[in-house]
PDB file of all heavy atoms in Angstrom:
ATOM      1  N   MET H   1       0.832  -1.175   0.000  1.00  0.00           N
ATOM      2  CA  MET H   1      -0.008   0.018   0.007  1.00  0.00           C
ATOM      3  C   MET H   1       0.870   1.261   0.000  1.00  0.00           C
ATOM      4  O   MET H   1       1.807   1.360   0.718  1.00  0.00           O
ATOM      5  CB  MET H   1      -0.893  -0.008   1.265  1.00  0.00           C
ATOM      6  CG  MET H   1      -1.831   1.189   1.358  1.00  0.00           C
ATOM      7  SD  MET H   1      -2.950   0.968   2.762  1.00  0.00           S
ATOM      8  CE  MET H   1      -2.411   2.378   3.737  1.00  0.00           C
ATOM      9  N   LEU H   9       8.245  21.781   4.444  1.00  0.00           N
ATOM     10  CA  LEU H   9       9.484  22.468   3.996  1.00  0.00           C
ATOM     11  C   LEU H   9       9.895  23.473   5.027  1.00  0.00           C
ATOM     12  O   LEU H   9       9.174  24.408   5.364  1.00  0.00           O
ATOM     13  CB  LEU H   9       9.263  23.117   2.642  1.00  0.00           C
ATOM     14  CG  LEU H   9       9.185  22.184   1.450  1.00  0.00           C
ATOM     15  CD1 LEU H   9       9.178  22.999   0.128  1.00  0.00           C
ATOM     16  CD2 LEU H   9      10.343  21.190   1.368  1.00  0.00           C
ATOM     17  N   THR H  53       6.744  26.358   5.959  1.00  0.00           N
ATOM     18  CA  THR H  53       6.759  26.868   7.330  1.00  0.00           C
ATOM     19  C   THR H  53       6.983  28.370   7.400  1.00  0.00           C
ATOM     20  O   THR H  53       7.303  29.007   6.393  1.00  0.00           O
ATOM     21  CB  THR H  53       7.840  26.183   8.170  1.00  0.00           C
ATOM     22  OG1 THR H  53       9.118  26.692   7.734  1.00  0.00           O
ATOM     23  CG2 THR H  53       7.836  24.668   8.000  1.00  0.00           C
ATOM     24  N   PRO H  56      12.283  33.517   9.796  1.00  0.00           N
ATOM     25  CA  PRO H  56      12.654  34.898  10.213  1.00  0.00           C
ATOM     26  C   PRO H  56      12.919  35.871   9.081  1.00  0.00           C
ATOM     27  O   PRO H  56      13.062  37.081   9.295  1.00  0.00           O
ATOM     28  CB  PRO H  56      13.895  34.673  11.062  1.00  0.00           C
ATOM     29  CG  PRO H  56      14.507  33.482  10.491  1.00  0.00           C
ATOM     30  CD  PRO H  56      13.394  32.595  10.023  1.00  0.00           C
ATOM     31  N   VAL H  59      10.736  37.715   2.296  1.00  0.00           N
ATOM     32  CA  VAL H  59      10.813  37.049   0.996  1.00  0.00           C
ATOM     33  C   VAL H  59      11.414  37.923  -0.091  1.00  0.00           C
ATOM     34  O   VAL H  59      11.973  37.402  -1.064  1.00  0.00           O
ATOM     35  CB  VAL H  59       9.399  36.541   0.545  1.00  0.00           C
ATOM     36  CG1 VAL H  59       8.898  35.476   1.490  1.00  0.00           C
ATOM     37  CG2 VAL H  59       8.427  37.713   0.430  1.00  0.00           C
ATOM     38  N   VAL H  71       8.255  23.895  -7.813  1.00  0.00           N
ATOM     39  CA  VAL H  71       7.344  23.338  -6.787  1.00  0.00           C
ATOM     40  C   VAL H  71       5.929  23.623  -7.115  1.00  0.00           C
ATOM     41  O   VAL H  71       5.016  22.835  -6.874  1.00  0.00           O
ATOM     42  CB  VAL H  71       7.751  23.866  -5.398  1.00  0.00           C
ATOM     43  CG1 VAL H  71       6.662  23.587  -4.369  1.00  0.00           C
ATOM     44  CG2 VAL H  71       9.086  23.283  -4.930  1.00  0.00           C
ATOM     45  N   GLY H  94       2.201  38.139  -6.626  1.00  0.00           N
ATOM     46  CA  GLY H  94       1.842  39.122  -5.657  1.00  0.00           C
ATOM     47  C   GLY H  94       3.041  40.014  -5.310  1.00  0.00           C
ATOM     48  O   GLY H  94       4.127  39.870  -5.903  1.00  0.00           O
ATOM     49  N   ALA H  99       5.981  46.339   6.326  1.00  0.00           N
ATOM     50  CA  ALA H  99       4.869  47.139   6.818  1.00  0.00           C
ATOM     51  C   ALA H  99       5.352  48.587   7.065  1.00  0.00           C
ATOM     52  O   ALA H  99       6.390  48.790   7.706  1.00  0.00           O
ATOM     53  CB  ALA H  99       4.291  46.541   8.074  1.00  0.00           C
ATOM     54  N   GLU H 126     -17.091  31.445  12.249  1.00  0.00           N
ATOM     55  CA  GLU H 126     -16.709  32.547  11.344  1.00  0.00           C
ATOM     56  C   GLU H 126     -15.757  33.535  11.987  1.00  0.00           C
ATOM     57  O   GLU H 126     -15.145  34.382  11.340  1.00  0.00           O
ATOM     58  CB  GLU H 126     -17.970  33.273  10.867  1.00  0.00           C
ATOM     59  CG  GLU H 126     -18.838  32.414  10.001  1.00  0.00           C
ATOM     60  CD  GLU H 126     -20.032  33.190   9.507  1.00  0.00           C
ATOM     61  OE1 GLU H 126     -20.295  34.298   9.969  1.00  0.00           O
ATOM     62  OE2 GLU H 126     -20.746  32.652   8.623  1.00  0.00           O
ATOM     63  N   MET H 132      -0.626  35.758  15.560  1.00  0.00           N
ATOM     64  CA  MET H 132       0.119  36.442  14.474  1.00  0.00           C
ATOM     65  C   MET H 132       1.564  36.668  14.855  1.00  0.00           C
ATOM     66  O   MET H 132       1.862  36.852  16.052  1.00  0.00           O
ATOM     67  CB  MET H 132      -0.555  37.775  14.191  1.00  0.00           C
ATOM     68  CG  MET H 132      -1.964  37.715  13.682  1.00  0.00           C
ATOM     69  SD  MET H 132      -2.084  37.150  11.980  1.00  0.00           S
ATOM     70  CE  MET H 132      -3.820  37.484  11.677  1.00  0.00           C
ATOM     71  N   ILE H 159      -5.304  33.759   2.277  1.00  0.00           N
ATOM     72  CA  ILE H 159      -5.582  33.790   0.828  1.00  0.00           C
ATOM     73  C   ILE H 159      -5.719  32.337   0.320  1.00  0.00           C
ATOM     74  O   ILE H 159      -5.184  31.414   0.905  1.00  0.00           O
ATOM     75  CB  ILE H 159      -4.518  34.548   0.048  1.00  0.00           C
ATOM     76  CG1 ILE H 159      -3.160  33.885   0.235  1.00  0.00           C
ATOM     77  CG2 ILE H 159      -4.474  36.003   0.482  1.00  0.00           C
ATOM     78  CD1 ILE H 159      -2.008  34.530  -0.614  1.00  0.00           C
ATOM     79  N   ARG H 164      -6.075  25.357  -7.639  1.00  0.00           N
ATOM     80  CA  ARG H 164      -4.745  24.714  -7.569  1.00  0.00           C
ATOM     81  C   ARG H 164      -4.494  24.087  -6.199  1.00  0.00           C
ATOM     82  O   ARG H 164      -3.466  23.397  -6.014  1.00  0.00           O
ATOM     83  CB  ARG H 164      -3.688  25.723  -7.917  1.00  0.00           C
ATOM     84  CG  ARG H 164      -3.610  26.075  -9.396  1.00  0.00           C
ATOM     85  CD  ARG H 164      -2.370  26.847  -9.752  1.00  0.00           C
ATOM     86  NE  ARG H 164      -2.470  28.281  -9.347  1.00  0.00           N
ATOM     87  CZ  ARG H 164      -1.515  29.177  -9.536  1.00  0.00           C
ATOM     88  NH1 ARG H 164      -0.363  28.822 -10.116  1.00  0.00           N
ATOM     89  NH2 ARG H 164      -1.656  30.449  -9.172  1.00  0.00           N
ATOM     90  N   ASP H 203       0.200  -0.079  12.574  1.00  0.00           N
ATOM     91  CA  ASP H 203       0.772  -0.302  11.263  1.00  0.00           C
ATOM     92  C   ASP H 203       2.238  -0.073  11.268  1.00  0.00           C
ATOM     93  O   ASP H 203       3.001  -0.798  10.670  1.00  0.00           O
ATOM     94  CB  ASP H 203       0.070   0.565  10.211  1.00  0.00           C
ATOM     95  CG  ASP H 203      -1.425   0.261  10.103  1.00  0.00           C
ATOM     96  OD1 ASP H 203      -1.792  -0.914  10.291  1.00  0.00           O
ATOM     97  OD2 ASP H 203      -2.212   1.177   9.849  1.00  0.00           O
ATOM     98  N   ALA H 236      14.522  -1.992  22.256  1.00  0.00           N
ATOM     99  CA  ALA H 236      14.868  -3.346  22.687  1.00  0.00           C
ATOM    100  C   ALA H 236      13.664  -4.283  22.500  1.00  0.00           C
ATOM    101  O   ALA H 236      13.820  -5.399  22.008  1.00  0.00           O
ATOM    102  CB  ALA H 236      15.265  -3.352  24.168  1.00  0.00           C
ATOM    103  N   VAL H 252      25.637   0.456  29.352  1.00  0.00           N
ATOM    104  CA  VAL H 252      26.927   1.065  29.782  1.00  0.00           C
ATOM    105  C   VAL H 252      26.641   1.929  31.025  1.00  0.00           C
ATOM    106  O   VAL H 252      26.013   3.007  30.896  1.00  0.00           O
ATOM    107  CB  VAL H 252      27.542   1.876  28.659  1.00  0.00           C
ATOM    108  CG1 VAL H 252      28.839   2.496  29.158  1.00  0.00           C
ATOM    109  CG2 VAL H 252      27.795   1.010  27.418  1.00  0.00           C
ATOM    110  N   GLU H 266      18.938  -2.935  35.296  1.00  0.00           N
ATOM    111  CA  GLU H 266      19.292  -4.328  35.240  1.00  0.00           C
ATOM    112  C   GLU H 266      18.096  -5.225  35.693  1.00  0.00           C
ATOM    113  O   GLU H 266      17.824  -6.225  35.088  1.00  0.00           O
ATOM    114  CB  GLU H 266      20.497  -4.608  36.137  1.00  0.00           C
ATOM    115  CG  GLU H 266      21.056  -6.025  36.001  1.00  0.00           C
ATOM    116  CD  GLU H 266      22.406  -6.205  36.646  1.00  0.00           C
ATOM    117  OE1 GLU H 266      22.889  -5.256  37.320  1.00  0.00           O
ATOM    118  OE2 GLU H 266      22.936  -7.289  36.497  1.00  0.00           O
ATOM    119  N   LYS H 288      38.054  10.385  31.079  1.00  0.00           N
ATOM    120  CA  LYS H 288      37.975  11.089  29.764  1.00  0.00           C
ATOM    121  C   LYS H 288      37.427  12.471  29.952  1.00  0.00           C
ATOM    122  O   LYS H 288      37.760  13.400  29.205  1.00  0.00           O
ATOM    123  CB  LYS H 288      37.124  10.291  28.758  1.00  0.00           C
ATOM    124  CG  LYS H 288      37.695   8.955  28.358  1.00  0.00           C
ATOM    125  CD  LYS H 288      38.859   9.166  27.362  1.00  0.00           C
ATOM    126  CE  LYS H 288      39.340   7.807  26.843  1.00  0.00           C
ATOM    127  NZ  LYS H 288      40.469   7.977  25.878  1.00  0.00           N
ATOM    128  N   ARG H 392       8.314   6.469  31.763  1.00  0.00           N
ATOM    129  CA  ARG H 392       9.489   6.951  32.469  1.00  0.00           C
ATOM    130  C   ARG H 392       9.994   8.256  31.859  1.00  0.00           C
ATOM    131  O   ARG H 392      10.039   8.367  30.640  1.00  0.00           O
ATOM    132  CB  ARG H 392      10.598   5.886  32.374  1.00  0.00           C
ATOM    133  CG  ARG H 392      11.810   6.164  33.214  1.00  0.00           C
ATOM    134  CD  ARG H 392      12.815   5.062  33.026  1.00  0.00           C
ATOM    135  NE  ARG H 392      13.948   5.272  33.870  1.00  0.00           N
ATOM    136  CZ  ARG H 392      15.067   4.574  33.804  1.00  0.00           C
ATOM    137  NH1 ARG H 392      15.173   3.638  32.951  1.00  0.00           N
ATOM    138  NH2 ARG H 392      16.072   4.843  34.592  1.00  0.00           N
ATOM    139  N   THR H 469       4.956  18.962  28.618  1.00  0.00           N
ATOM    140  CA  THR H 469       5.078  18.937  27.157  1.00  0.00           C
ATOM    141  C   THR H 469       4.470  17.640  26.647  1.00  0.00           C
ATOM    142  O   THR H 469       4.256  16.707  27.437  1.00  0.00           O
ATOM    143  CB  THR H 469       6.554  19.026  26.690  1.00  0.00           C
ATOM    144  OG1 THR H 469       6.614  18.985  25.254  1.00  0.00           O
ATOM    145  CG2 THR H 469       7.379  17.886  27.234  1.00  0.00           C
ATOM    146  N   ASP H 471       5.526  16.646  23.129  1.00  0.00           N
ATOM    147  CA  ASP H 471       6.453  16.170  22.091  1.00  0.00           C
ATOM    148  C   ASP H 471       7.938  16.466  22.382  1.00  0.00           C
ATOM    149  O   ASP H 471       8.800  16.039  21.644  1.00  0.00           O
ATOM    150  CB  ASP H 471       6.075  16.780  20.722  1.00  0.00           C
ATOM    151  CG  ASP H 471       5.969  18.281  20.796  1.00  0.00           C
ATOM    152  OD1 ASP H 471       6.632  18.919  21.646  1.00  0.00           O
ATOM    153  OD2 ASP H 471       5.184  18.833  20.001  1.00  0.00           O
ATOM    154  N   THR H 474       8.670  21.493  22.114  1.00  0.00           N
ATOM    155  CA  THR H 474       8.323  22.715  22.847  1.00  0.00           C
ATOM    156  C   THR H 474       7.912  22.284  24.226  1.00  0.00           C
ATOM    157  O   THR H 474       7.466  21.160  24.451  1.00  0.00           O
ATOM    158  CB  THR H 474       7.166  23.493  22.171  1.00  0.00           C
ATOM    159  OG1 THR H 474       5.961  22.628  22.133  1.00  0.00           O
ATOM    160  CG2 THR H 474       7.499  23.903  20.762  1.00  0.00           C
ATOM    161  N   ILE H 506      12.088  29.018  35.488  1.00  0.00           N
ATOM    162  CA  ILE H 506      10.753  29.322  34.936  1.00  0.00           C
ATOM    163  C   ILE H 506      10.819  29.775  33.468  1.00  0.00           C
ATOM    164  O   ILE H 506      10.179  30.706  33.073  1.00  0.00           O
ATOM    165  CB  ILE H 506      10.043  30.389  35.801  1.00  0.00           C
ATOM    166  CG1 ILE H 506      10.846  31.687  35.885  1.00  0.00           C
ATOM    167  CG2 ILE H 506       9.748  29.835  37.200  1.00  0.00           C
ATOM    168  CD1 ILE H 506      10.045  32.829  36.522  1.00  0.00           C
ATOM    169  N   ALA H 512      14.562  28.632  25.794  1.00  0.00           N
ATOM    170  CA  ALA H 512      15.545  27.698  26.372  1.00  0.00           C
ATOM    171  C   ALA H 512      15.381  26.303  25.827  1.00  0.00           C
ATOM    172  O   ALA H 512      14.392  26.028  25.131  1.00  0.00           O
ATOM    173  CB  ALA H 512      15.405  27.691  27.893  1.00  0.00           C
TER     174      ALA H 512
END
Side-chain angles (χ1 to χ4, degrees):
M1 181 174 117
L9 287 186
T53 73
V59 294
V71 167
E126 294 182 350
M132 298 285 190
I159 59 175
R164 286 191 284 180
D203 297 328
V252 179
E266 187 168 6
K288 293 285 185 180
R392 187 179 183 191
T469 180
D471 52 28
T474 61
I506 58 169

